[in-house]
Amino acid sequence: MVGAVSLFAVSQYHGDLARMDEAFFLKYLISSQAAIMWMCALFGLATLTYWAGLLARSEFTMKTGSALTWSAVALGFIGLMVRWYESYLIGTDVGHIPVSNLYEVFVLFCLITAMLYLYYEARYQTRQMGAFVLLVISAAVGFILWYALDRDAQGIQPLVPALKSWWMKLHVPANFIGYGSFSISAMLGAAYLLAKRGILASRLPKLEVIDDIMYKSIAIGFAFFTIATILGAMWAAEAWGGYWSWDPKETWALIVWLNYAAWLHIRLVKGLRGPMLAWWALGGLIVTTFAFLGVNMFLSGLHSYGTL
Amino acid sequence: MNSSSHSFGKSVFELLSSMRFAISLLSILAVASIIGTVLKQAEPYNNYVIQFGPFWFEAYEKLGLYDVYHAAWFLVILTFLVASTSVCIYRNAPNFAREMKSFREHVSEQSLNAFKHKHEATTTQTPEALAASAQRYLEGQGYKVKNLPREEGVLLAARAGSWNRVGYFLAHSAIVLICIGGLMDGNLIFKVQQLLGTKKIETRDIPQSQVPAISRLSPSNPSFRGSVQIPEGSSADVVFLNVADGYLVQDLPFTVALKQFRIEHYTTGQPKNFESDIELFDRSGKKIRSATIAVNHPLIQDGIAIYQASFADGGTRLNLRGWNLFAPTASSFPIEGTVHQNATLTSAAGDSTLEFIDFRPFNIEDIGGDAAARGNAMSVLGGSPVGDKKHLRNVGPSFQYKLRDSRGQAREFSNYMLPLELDGRWYMMSGVRDAPNEAFRYLRMPLDADGNLESFMRLRGALLDPALRPEIAANFAHQALPQNAWGTEIEGKLTHSAEQVLALFAQGGFQPLGKFIEEKVPAAEREKAAGTYLRILELAGFEALKIADRQANLPPPKADDATGWLVRDTLNSVSDMFVYGAPIYLQLMNYDEVKASGLQLTRSPGKKVVYFGSLLLTLGVFFMLFVRERRVWLRIKPGHALLAMSSAKHTIDFEKEFTQHAQALDSLTK
Ligand code: HEM
């Protein structure tokens, strides 16, 4: 589906970027920027729908929420695919995979988080968690909108020399599977804590289910984050001359990693369950967000590719 | 005695292998790492002194906070982590290995009955027949099964997911390996040598060849990471390692010569690629190889990797014109400079030193652009993603220098070669700042209609020249008054005021004028007075320009808008000159660029260990997290079967699997 629409979009360009403002489909639907904005809108709608469904206990409404999320994912993907193509239209030397700056990776974050969530939704046959997970995605969407409207960040920029590497294609997506998973686990932690206190408890899945998804999510996130960090180290070895430079971004990746390693140990080795781990998962979101965004905002280093 | 030391050792062992200790270590390591990201690492020590003051500077230095990750206490934490993980492996190894092989076949029927996950079924089949079909089923599910004859029947003991334990060994040994690899590439050897006093950091700014042996490391040094800048046409056989507030010189087993350094640009002007053509020679001067290195494409020689790290100026020759800012004429003098070298400037106030720091052949600046295009909702919703909206533009070459006076005080300047268009008019820009952490403040000097600085300089000279002042003032008064006032007392008064205003302005720009107004004029009328004085200055300025042009044998200036702006801009610029902080302005006329390539050279024997450890870590984590260890027992007696299941980790998947096995048993027993 996504592939077909992307191909259609690409065919509409006839190899000319200016067609973006002429061809109807491109202008309003599937030029990269239009598609990404549709993705944002659909994620917003999906959030509202999930909440409505949760509060009204309406399975049908929540199904609609899922459908909206699926469409948002599809459009987001189309947006990135088309953007990839557009970057080559700007100049063959400018063309690159759209995971190279803060704007692009935020779109990627929304997509990956949504897809991971949809996987759990299907696997556990429960849609109630959507209301919570979509909150984090909506926050990211909010950031995308602000970043585009206020900071004009949606432009495709050519790559700085250090980023022109094959490693980028692996390192960045792996990282975002990690970030996405950790975010999901944090939102589940929040749901767990509310349910434990009796808030929304009758509308949410059983505590064990929430707890189980939270664990799964952290496990998957941890595994991918491990790989991402290792790939990053290998890339750094090639680009900067050392696999580890204690650059702020690297160091914060380590901190995130240590945090979840400790979480897994407490749960698996000490066998601890319950609110304490849910709080911890929720707190993990702060650490993760800082590693993802805070480092770019407050600390400078080799990784300063997306500044605010 | 013996027993107490024995128990001490034992409790250390207990502590090291305890989970609580491990988790504390992970947390401490995380917190320690945070410190290093909050406090900028490895800055020049002077910056820290400025930031923290002398007392805290020293306190933080003692704590090693300027290089946290190489501080002794940080290494101690890492060592504890290695120790703790090793002890943990050592402690768990025998158990886990036994567990992996064992089928727990000695489990009693009684204990099976006490399992939380158990399921019973009645059957008409013989125990052997049921055992055979159950074994087939379990093996189909990925279990290893052992068939054990028991009194009155059979016990099937099965297990799956032993790789989970393998994962534990892999992942935890990996942590140890990675830390060891990291330590191999760290500066432990130097730290020890430093403690023993056999090596010392060099802090003086002296030529490399004069650095004494105590601050040099031999080519056989197993691990280092250093950098060097090589100008085009030169070579280097050492690299510099930054340590604390000084450096060490690392001798290389070969010589690197730079033939050429290239920067490729995108059409937008941003850099696209950095490349160096280098040649390597051995110690006897024989050429080993030549190669081109680029970002992300290093070269490896003798186990030493050579990276393209940065670029800099390699001693560009600058052709300059010096303008005397406070001379009463538009006078200039030629001057030559070379980047990274100094020149002496002699003036009435004493000698000062010109230190040429840098030259940049291009400067990509964000030239504001029209505000309407920014934040245009339509362009965000579906517009072109072409990234030229940032108004990035190459504004041409610039060079940087410091002017150090006889007392050693220095200011830094940054001058552009080409004029810049601001608010529709063109200016030469010269930036100045007092300290490296400040932003540049710009002196903008207006260009005349020919695009030159001469008109500005002439007018500036005339305004500052006391000898011209009576004439300027007289001409001004004459022009400003109607014919019937010429020759009257009013004209005399106006001439006097103009002279006074010009004199004040020549003393220090607008500032003394403002002060004068404050002292002499009542508060209510100050604004009006300021307006009047400004007007006087502007008109007098125009007269001054006329006189200056006449003296230079030029036609008189046109009385148009452009001249009006020239006068106004000149007044502003002259006023700014008094806080510019230098008596001269250096204008770049042309240059002969010499580039230098910044190379980083590393030898890191620990890298292989770290990579191998990383591989183990990845495998280990996957096995641990995604292979679940489960055990199943099936005790079959004539007419009856008891299924029990256990796992170290209870998840929903486990519950599901148990239900599935229970149902399978039901259908097998049917
Ligand atoms: C940076 C250091 C460490 C990391 C990244 C790490 C990682 C992990 C991970 C991901 C697990 C998987 C949890 C599971 O599913 O079983 C685990 C388990 C475990 N870790 Fe660590 N670990 C570290 C240090 C330690 C230390 C220092 C100890 C010793 C006190 C330790 C003892 C254990 C034990 C006993 C298990 C359970 C193994 C099992 O039952 O399967 N770990 N570790």
Side-chain angles (χ1 to χ4, degrees), chain B residues 150-433:
Chain B
R150 287 286 188 266
E151 71 179 279
E152 291 186 77
V154 180
L155 173 69
L156 285 186
R159 63 172 155 81
S162 309
W163 281 90
N164 179 289
R165 303 289 172 172
V166 177
Y168 169 82
F169 289 118
L170 291 179
H172 290 79
S173 338
I175 302 291
V176 177
L177 275 180
I178 291 173
C179 289
I180 290 176
L183 287 178
M184 281 166 71
D185 286 343
N187 59 356
L188 267 188
I189 299 181
F190 169 72
K191 284 228 136 148
V192 172
Q193 288 172 327
Q194 200 183 16
L195 268 183
L196 297 176
T198 52
K199 290 286 171 208
K200 198 170 123 253
I201 300 169
E202 179 60 73
T203 50
R204 291 167 298 171
D205 191 10
I206 52 174
Q208 173 273 117
S209 55
Q210 287 170 27
V211 173
I214 194 160
S215 300
R216 300 184 87 93
L217 305 174
S218 95
S220 61
N221 181 13
S223 109
F224 60 83
R225 183 168 173 187
S227 53
V228 64
Q229 276 182 8
I230 312 177
E232 285 174 329
S234 303
S235 63
D237 55 5
V238 298
V239 290
F240 300 90
L241 319 185
N242 286 326
V243 191
D245 59 339
Y247 62 93
L248 294 167
V249 175
Q250 167 72 53
D251 287 303
L252 297 175
F254 49 71
T255 303
V256 191
L258 178 69
K259 283 207 300 199
Q260 200 194 25
F261 173 74
R262 284 184 301 277
I263 305 180
E264 275 182 75
H265 294 268
Y266 292 106
T267 45
T268 50
Q270 285 121 306
K272 176 169 152 190
N273 201 11
F274 306 122
E275 274 183 354
S276 296
D277 292 338
I278 57 170
E279 284 179 331
L280 301 181
F281 299 92
D282 68 12
R283 279 291 175 185
S284 63
K286 207 170 101 255
K287 183 161 150 185
I288 308 170
R289 66 199 288 189
S290 55
T292 299
I293 58 168
V295 180
N296 275 315
H297 300 282
L299 169 76
I300 294 174
Q301 175 71 38
D302 298 345
I304 297 176
I306 307 173
Y307 299 87
Q308 177 70 60
S310 61
F311 64 93
D313 194 90
T316 294
R317 282 174 290 280
L318 306 168
N319 250 317
L320 306 166
R321 183 145 77 139
W323 293 94
N324 285 312
L325 289 179
F326 295 102
T329 53
S331 71
S332 67
F333 54 94
I335 174 170
E336 305 260 301
T338 304
V339 174
H340 304 314
Q341 291 184 14
N342 298 347
T344 307
L345 208 64
T346 316
S347 75
D351 284 359
S352 44
T353 315
L354 263 176
E355 305 170 5
F356 295 100
I357 318 169
D358 199 6
F359 168 79
R360 297 193 196 123
F362 58 91
N363 288 278
I364 312 291
E365 303 282 346
D366 190 348
I367 308 290
D370 45 342
R374 301 188 92 229
N376 176 339
M378 260 337 275
S379 81
V380 172
L381 289 177
S384 158
V386 184
D388 63 1
K389 290 182 194 136
K390 293 222 154 161
H391 308 97
L392 293 178
R393 203 177 305 154
N394 182 1
V395 297
S398 71
F399 72 109
Q400 285 71 38
Y401 60 98
K402 275 187 184 162
L403 189 61
R404 197 176 290 282
D405 64 22
S406 47
R407 286 169 299 138
Q409 302 281 19
R411 282 186 172 194
E412 191 183 337
F413 298 84
S414 173
N415 295 359
Y416 289 96
M417 181 180 190
L418 304 177
L420 233 68
E421 190 183 8
L422 295 166
D423 311 323
R425 298 187 298 282
W426 293 87
Y427 301 92
M428 293 304 286
M429 307 289 282
S430 172
V432 56
R433 63 181 175 191

Side-chain angles (χ1 to χ4, degrees), chain A residues 215 222 257-258 261 264-265 268-269, chain B residues 16-19 22 26 81 84-85 88 92 96 164-165 168 171-172 175 617 621 624-625 649:
Chain A
Y215 160 66
F222 185 76
W257 190 74
L258 290 172
L264 285 169
H265 276 90
L268 293 165
V269 185
Chain B
L16 280 179
S17 63
S18 80
M19 202 68 228
L26 298 185
L81 186 71
S84 163
T85 316
C88 193
N92 284 326
F96 282 11
N164 179 289
R165 303 289 172 172
Y168 169 82
H172 290 79
I175 302 291
L617 180 64
V621 164
M624 265 198 296
L625 293 176
K649 287 148 203 165

